[in-house]
């Protein structure tokens, strides 16, 4: 409000009031910057608007800042577009966009356990990649790969295997486990009848192979006795 006063030559005065309304019609200037952020062990990262602000300004400072998305998880690994809104004191706004690149560089936790397995009648055993897993984990999911999953008679006894744990973003960890292979399938004994002749002393002798008719075992026959 402005008051005007006029005085004539006879010192007579009168006044008038004028209302001047001031408008801010200049939008603020929004400036963004690209950033890279890293997920924590829980697979989570929170940012605020100032993280992507690059000195946004206004002729009637100050300005307030807001972003449309500040929460990132495993699903957002890689580049993400975020919109920054800059608002001045009179409510005028401007926007810009920033790229938030989300990185997962935390390796999974690999946990192994020792196991005992038993060969089948063919002298073989195939186990799954997760057979020695003991709860390996990562915030961004894991896949498991065991160095050896096929065992046969040559592996009877303890065998050290390595489990590789890989998360969705290529980070890996390993652990080792002992796979004890047991053969508890009895051999198959097959006999045949034979006829032998006594010698002049009334004696005869045979060996086990003389009455064997194809006895077998998947892991081989170590000894025949009669």
């Amino acid at each position: 409000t402005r008051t005007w006063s006029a005085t004539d030559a006879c010192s007579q005065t009168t006044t008038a009031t004028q209302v001047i309304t001031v408008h801010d019609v200049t939008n603020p200037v929004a400036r963004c910057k690209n950033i890279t952020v890293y997920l924590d062990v829980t697979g989570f990262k929170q940012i605020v608007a100032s993280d992507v602000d690059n000195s946004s300004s206004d002729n009637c400072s100050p300005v307030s800042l807001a972003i449309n998305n500040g929460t990132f998880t495993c699903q957002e690994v890689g580049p993400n577009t975020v919109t920054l809104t800059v608002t001045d004191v009179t409510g005028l706004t401007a926007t810009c966009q920033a790229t938030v690149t989300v990185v997962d560089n935390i390796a999974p936790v690999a946990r192994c356990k020792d196991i005992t397995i038993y060969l089948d009648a063919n002298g073989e055993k195939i186990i799954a990649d997760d057979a020695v897993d003991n709860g390996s984990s990562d915030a961004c999911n894991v896949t498991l790969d065991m160095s050896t999953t096929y065992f046969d008679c040559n592996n009877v006894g303890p065998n050290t295997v390595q489990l590789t744990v890989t998360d969705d973003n290529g980070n890996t960890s390993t652990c080792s486990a002992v796979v004890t292979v047991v053969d508890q399938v009895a051999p198959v004994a097959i006999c045949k009848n034979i006829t032998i002749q006594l010698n002049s002393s009334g004696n005869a002798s045979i060996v086990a192979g003389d009455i064997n008719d194809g006895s077998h075992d998947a892991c081989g026959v170590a000894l025949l006795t009669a």
Side-chain angles (χ1 to χ4, degrees), residues 136-151:
S136 300
S137 61
D138 186 85
C140 295
N141 299 319
V142 295
T143 56
L144 305 174
D145 180 46
M146 194 162 59
S147 58
T148 302
T149 59
Y150 173 81
F151 300 88

Side-chain angles (χ1 to χ4, degrees), residues 16 26 32 41 48 52 60 62 78 84 88 108 133 177 195 212 219:
T26 303
C32 286
V41 293
V48 295
V52 296
C60 293
L84 173 69
D88 69 12
D133 179 50
T195 299
N212 178 41
C219 290

Side-chain angles (χ1 to χ4, degrees), residues 128-173:
D129 283 314
D130 62 356
V132 298
D133 179 50
N134 195 29
S136 300
S137 61
D138 186 85
C140 295
N141 299 319
V142 295
T143 56
L144 305 174
D145 180 46
M146 194 162 59
S147 58
T148 302
T149 59
Y150 173 81
F151 300 88
D152 60 20
C153 298
N154 296 319
N155 305 113
V156 171
N159 302 266
T160 299
V161 299
Q162 179 173 281
L163 179 69
T164 300
V165 183
T166 306
D167 69 16
D168 286 348
N169 300 303
N171 300 302
T172 64
S173 292

Side-chain angles (χ1 to χ4, degrees), residues 22-35:
V22 179
H23 293 282
D24 175 17
V25 295
T26 303
N27 290 328
V29 177
R31 300 183 184 93
C32 286
K33 62 182 178 181
N34 301 328
I35 62 172

Side-chain angles (χ1 to χ4, degrees), residues 148-205:
T148 302
T149 59
Y150 173 81
F151 300 88
D152 60 20
C153 298
N154 296 319
N155 305 113
V156 171
N159 302 266
T160 299
V161 299
Q162 179 173 281
L163 179 69
T164 300
V165 183
T166 306
D167 69 16
D168 286 348
N169 300 303
N171 300 302
T172 64
S173 292
T174 61
C175 59
S176 294
V178 175
V179 178
T180 301
V181 179
V182 177
D183 172 23
Q184 63 176 10
V185 177
V188 177
I190 304 174
C191 290
K192 63 182 178 182
N193 301 324
I194 62 172
T195 299
I196 61 173
Q197 302 295 323
L198 298 179
N199 61 21
S200 59
S201 300
N203 298 305
S205 63

